[in-house]
């Protein structure tokens, strides 16, 4: 059997699983179906691309579990005309999912190698609405703010003030946060007015640490 039909069957099972686990937003399911996860993992892991688990990438980091990517994307309550900031580009997979739904994605990665590889990979796949840069994402990307939504794909000790200040009024920040470096609560923080926010706890998650000025030192 050739590799392609095997992957297609895997992908169908993967999409069924996301729906069964409660992902309802049709735009999110469509984006998860459209983005080829196998293009974001190393050659040795291509056969595992549609397993619902995180997988290792360079620099000791991970490409997140697809269910968590879908859950966080759904939690951002995205619309097609939105501008979004992602902190933690990693492989670029999450950015590609976001870019399939919204108008423009900005994404920041602290490891230069990952930022370079993701940028090249995304360009090769034809994503022309994603800007990648290397830097400390806990400080956001003030030149392109405000953002309709911000997602942080690494876990911090708290919620970076810089990110809240770069949300539009009504904007949503989805972030894993908590005192344990390897276990967090997934929070959705909605900016209700200039100085008022609402925080919802979406449940327990496990992410690599968010390292930066407003994250772990
Ligand atoms: N979204 C990624 C994907 O689809 O492959 C998964 C990202 S991985 C779980 C988290 C990433 O956050 C890592 O690549 C890590 O280097 C990055 N990271 C950690 N702290 C950061 C910071 N302050 N700014 C930018 N990136 C950061």
């Amino acid at each position: 059997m050739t590799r392609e039909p095997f992957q297609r069957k895997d992908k169908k099972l993967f999409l069924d699983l996301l729906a069964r686990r409660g992902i309802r937003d049709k735009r999110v399911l469509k984006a998860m179906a459209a983005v080829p996860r196998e293009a974001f993992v190393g050659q040795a892991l291509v056969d595992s691309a549609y397993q619902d688990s995180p997988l290792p990438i360079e620099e000791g980091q991970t490409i997140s579990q697809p269910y968590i990517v879908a859950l966080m994307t759904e939690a951002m309550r995205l619309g097609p005309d939105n501008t979004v900031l992602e902190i933690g580009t990693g492989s670029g997979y999450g950015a590609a999912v976001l870019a399939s739904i919204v108008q423009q994605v900005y994404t920041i990665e602290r490891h230069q190698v990952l930022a370079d590889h993701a940028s090249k990979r995304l360009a090769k796949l034809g994503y022309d609405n994603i800007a990648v840069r290397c830097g400390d994402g806990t400080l956001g990307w003030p030149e392109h703010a405000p953002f309709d939504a911000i997602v942080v794909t690494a876990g911090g000790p708290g919620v970076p003030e810089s990110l809240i200040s770069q949300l539009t009024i009504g904007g949503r920040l989805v972030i894993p946060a908590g005192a344990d470096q390897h276990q967090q609560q997934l929070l959705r923080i909605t900016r209700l007015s200039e100085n008022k926010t609402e925080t919802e706890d979406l449940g327990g998650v496990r992410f690599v640490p968010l390292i930066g000025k407003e994250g772990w030192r």
Side-chain angles (χ1 to χ4, degrees), residues 37 40 54-55 57-65 69 86-97 107-111 114 121 133-139 151-155 206-216:
R37 194 169 187 252
F40 293 84
L55 295 170
I57 57 173
E58 302 106 312
E59 302 290 346
Q61 303 301 317
T62 54
I63 172 171
S64 303
Q65 177 190 354
V69 175
E86 179 195 44
I87 312 305
T89 314
S91 66
Y93 175 71
V97 171
T107 179
I108 308 177
E109 169 56 53
R110 65 182 284 270
H111 289 288
L114 292 178
R121 181 180 288 137
R133 100 169 159 80
C134 182
D136 177 4
T138 65
L139 304 176
V151 64
V152 183
T153 69
R206 251 173 201 281
F207 275 87
V208 295
L210 177 71
I211 296 169
K213 210 160 182 194
E214 295 187 39
W216 295 102

Side-chain angles (χ1 to χ4, degrees), residues 6-199:
F6 174 67
Q7 278 184 4
R8 232 183 270 147
K9 184 182 108 231
D10 270 9
K11 190 161 187 174
K12 165 93 175 65
L13 291 173
F14 156 94
L15 291 168
D16 289 350
L17 175 85
L18 295 179
R20 265 206 321 278
R21 289 200 68 178
I23 304 301
R24 295 272 171 270
D25 187 329
K26 290 217 164 50
R27 280 176 294 198
V28 175
L29 289 168
K30 199 170 156 203
M32 297 296 291
V35 177
R37 194 169 187 252
E38 66 274 18
F40 293 84
V41 298
Q43 198 52 43
L45 291 171
V46 162
D47 284 340
S48 309
Y50 293 102
Q51 281 174 13
D52 190 30
S53 61
L55 295 170
I57 57 173
E58 302 106 312
E59 302 290 346
Q61 303 301 317
T62 54
I63 172 171
S64 303
Q65 177 190 354
Y67 167 67
I68 294 292
V69 175
L71 181 75
M72 291 172 92
T73 307
E74 186 170 70
M76 291 166 80
R77 296 185 171 146
L78 300 172
D81 58 351
N82 281 182
T83 295
V84 165
L85 175 66
E86 179 195 44
I87 312 305
T89 314
S91 66
Y93 175 71
V97 171
L98 294 169
S100 307
I101 300 174
V102 305
Q103 193 165 349
Q104 179 66 41
V105 177
Y106 294 94
T107 179
I108 308 177
E109 169 56 53
R110 65 182 284 270
H111 289 288
Q112 186 74 59
V113 170
L114 292 178
D116 289 348
H117 286 180
S119 181
K120 283 195 193 112
R121 181 180 288 137
L122 290 164
K124 199 169 155 198
L125 289 168
Y127 293 95
D128 58 3
N129 59 342
I130 304 176
V132 184
R133 100 169 159 80
C134 182
D136 177 4
T138 65
L139 304 176
W141 196 333
E143 295 83 351
H144 294 293
F147 302 99
D148 300 295
I150 301 177
V151 64
V152 183
T153 69
V159 179
E161 269 308 314
S162 297
L163 298 185
I164 302 271
S165 71
Q166 290 175 34
L167 284 174
T168 55
I169 304 301
R172 292 82 56 201
L173 166 63
V174 173
I175 179 169
D180 185 328
Q181 274 217 8
H182 299 282
Q183 200 164 315
Q184 307 88 14
Q185 293 304 119
L186 185 62
L187 306 178
R188 173 172 52 212
I189 296 140
T190 305
R191 188 175 191 188
L192 301 176
S193 67
E194 197 56 42
N195 299 311
K196 207 169 157 205
T197 57
E198 175 192 71
T199 300

